[in-house]
Amino acid sequence: MSAYNASEVEPKWQKRWRDAKLHKTVYDPEKPKYYALDMFPYPSGSGLHVGHCEGYTATDIITRYKRMCGCNVLHPMGWDAFGLPAENFAIKTGIHPSVTTEKAIANFRKQIDSIGFAYDWDREINTTDPSYYKWTQWIFLQLYKKGLAYEGFMPINWCPSCKTGLANEEVTGGNCERCGSQVERKDLRQWILKITEYADRLLEDLDEVDWPDSTLAMQRNWIGRSEGAEVIFTVSEGEAKGEQVKVFTTRPDTLYGATYMVLAPEHPLVEKITTEAQAGAVEEYKQSARKKSDLERTELSKEKSGVFTGGYALNPVNKKPIPVWIADYVLAGYGTGAIMAVPAHDERDFEFAQKYDIPIIQVVAPLEDKEIEKGKAFIDEGVNINSGDLDGLSTKEAKKKITSQLENSGRGKAAVSYRLRDWIFSRQRYWGEPIPVIHCEKCGVVPVPEKDLPVKLPEVDKYEPSGTGESPLANIEEWLNTECPTCGESAKRETNTMPQWAGSCWYYLRYIDPQNDSEPWSKDIEKKWMNVDLYVGGAEHAVLHLLYSRFWHKVLYDLGYVTTKEPFKKLRHQGTVLASTYRDSFGKYHSLDDIEFDGNDARLKETGEKLSTEVEKMAKSKLNGVNPDDVIAKYGADVLRLYEMFMGEFELPKPWDPRAIEGCSRLIKRIWRLVNEFKPLVDGDPNRRTRHKTIKKVTSDIESMKFNTAIAAIMEYVNELMSNGVIKEDLSTLARLIAPFAPHLGDEAWEKLGEKGFILNTQWPQYDESLVKESVVTVVVQVNGKLRANFKASRETSRNELEQMALSQEKVKAHTEGKTIKKVIVVPGKLVNIVVS
Ligand code: ANZ
Ligand code: ZN
């Protein structure tokens, strides 16, 4: 017999699939459609990671299964190829990012093909391809025309010594990743997208999707909808006397406890309200606040600081003046950029009031069962005190009453605030989609006419951002200078490019119609394929990518280009693949090559030193990474696929265990042996029940993405087959069940069994429900309707036998002896009811 040789079998089938265009998407209107989407990778120089393989294997299993179940399947792949690493590499080496990118893509493609994934490569897309980003730019123009894109000045991370803007990823602990200098904030002209206009819908429509709870919670939290009130205070003296200061509060019920106010340092009223005596201190404080990010400013544990402006404002309920401060814990961009501070009932205000000796007035008393902790703010709900006519009301009642009073007197109103900010959509970089607008002195901002798209990236010599913070595009005179499309005068192109998120905001729509060059996708095709039935990718995208793409989708929905409110119906995240790390007594990491195992202890080969081990995320620096190419070379792609799914529950983090791969390798060898040495049993079908049960289990486990237990069921079935002997149907079923997981083995076995064609074109095995039911059942016995006993019997036991078995139970006898049996009712497989008198 021939041993199973994956290194021959796998490339052979990959070639046959390719030659037959087996994975080409076909659309048959008679069949249901299934669109499975993987988060497309950034083609990095380091190649495919076992974490990529995990998600891709899952969708591959499901799409292969769905196709065998008779669905039209769409399963595409592409490249999210704009991004920093290629740009930074270009800055260092002068090699054009497109060259680096192309090389990385070729490598990824080779790796993906070697795993046997069933992608339709005719639909491959690349976000850096002008025929793709033409439409990314087109969508930007639609946003612009709808009033959802605007210019504004926004701070960026600015490294004063590199003279360049930095992405958040390039700032570590507040310092520039390249040179270590402290990063500052610098205001630059930016393009901003009005995602906040969609805040409510982005929140509401989360109810429509089947997503992990944790991801839903993160999106809800990111949008951060707060209900409360806007309250108007009035400046009581000085130059700003009579000016209104609006605050946003979620606790209008605490208004009587407001003992000071705080304006964000950037608040427009700060200058006017500040008295001469305080002007110096205020100015100094404003300067220091500029250096901090919002995150640093609002950190709860950070020591609060602020400066008194010298001004006062009147509390609208009691007309008492309270001092107005500025402090960086109040953000300019949230609510109204100003707060009423209630130290008795807000932790930050409490800390601040203590530090600066500001009065603390309690206005909410705890409910009976609670107590106020000394030295802390009482932030729970309770009953109002010291609050005029709000006294005695519960927090809810007080909120309602004060809000309507404020409304009636014109001093406030109910209000909603969102944590969600508008999206800063421009980057001062080269390797991104140029933003398709032109600046004309006469006409202002003029969108590039759609017929002139794409605005292609020009060649440059230097990839560094210019020293002014503008992108290197600002230095390319021939590109920069153009004509105004409206008046024909000389004008300048926008030099900002789009952020990396842009291309991934709509790629799932391009896949449905990737070669269309007259429109981004056809509306007819959109109706056929959208929305995405299953989206699989890393949980690190729980917010940004998944929020931005939902936003664009909703805009496209409003414009009539798509017909579903949400792009991704069902979403799942693969669990992170972890791996053991091994460290010596100096804390130095060692790779498996340097280690030998002594029972469960890992020892350094050279010295025998026992190493300490821990399970951590894979990282180059920790020498615990696994390269899928190595696994394929050693065991084959089918083993890699099986093992990735068998490691543990799909959505949970799980450690890579090199020794456990053997089990999956063994499964493949055993299946091959069964097929290769097949001698059918002459009579009987001993595995009939197990076969049907296995089909049922594997089917429902694939549907619910429990791949590990599906594989375990196949393993058990194989065990039975090895001990009982097989008929042909056992093996043809086995080949089809294993095919989605190990497609090369599937087709090889199928061919060996003398079956025709590719397994993917056959039908998924069906099971007979009656054969799946447990064969031994519990039968309950009632006497005059009261439960008296139960016993086990085979499901096939006849009525007569069941009656005899029931009557012979000791506990039943106790209730029937000496009585007349009038009637016995038997429900086979379930119940015997004895009627006596
Ligand atoms: C008075 C008050 C009393 C507050 C009280 C809380 C407790 P969320 O839930 O996050 O929406 N706030 C308002 N605008 C702010 C800004 N720009 N920067 C920092 N803090 C701001 O929080 C709303 C609460 O955060 C508001 O309610 C306000 O403090 C503060 F016992 O007003 B509160
Ligand atoms: Zn013009």
Side-chain angles (χ1 to χ4, degrees), residues 590-623:
H590 291 275
S591 80
L592 280 176
D593 296 339
D594 302 340
I595 295 166
E596 67 201 348
F597 286 93
D598 162 11
N600 275 330
D601 294 344
R603 290 181 186 281
L604 208 52
K605 270 185 199 158
E606 226 166 74
T607 61
E609 180 191 340
K610 192 178 149 195
L611 301 172
S612 71
T613 152
E614 227 178 298
V615 173
E616 298 182 72
K617 265 180 103 156
M618 286 188 181
K620 275 210 186 90
S621 59
K622 294 178 179 165
L623 303 178

Side-chain angles (χ1 to χ4, degrees), residues 631-644:
V631 183
I632 295 173
K634 189 160 176 204
Y635 298 101
D638 283 342
V639 174
L640 171 69
R641 297 170 58 115
L642 273 173
Y643 178 64
E644 293 246 8

Side-chain angles (χ1 to χ4, degrees), residues 44-65:
S44 77
S46 44
L48 205 66
H49 182 271
V50 287
H52 291 121
C53 302
E54 189 193 7
Y56 302 165
T57 304
T59 52
D60 201 62
I61 290 166
I62 291 185
T63 49
R64 284 171 180 274
Y65 157 77

Side-chain angles (χ1 to χ4, degrees), residues 32-36 62-63 66 71-75 529 533-534:
K33 67 93 186 179
Y34 194 84
Y35 183 1
I62 291 185
T63 49
K66 288 283 179 189
C71 292
N72 296 312
V73 162
L74 177 57
H75 189 210
W529 284 111
D533 295 277
L534 173 66

Side-chain angles (χ1 to χ4, degrees), residues 260 304 329 341-356 358 360 373-378:
Y260 67 101
K304 305 283 165 295
Y329 76 90
V342 184
H345 304 290
D346 181 277
E347 288 172 68
R348 293 165 300 180
D349 300 346
F350 185 85
E351 197 190 319
F352 194 88
Q354 281 205 316
K355 178 167 173 182
Y356 294 108
I358 301 173
I360 299 173
E373 259 184 88
K374 276 238 163 61
K376 265 190 157 179
F378 174 70

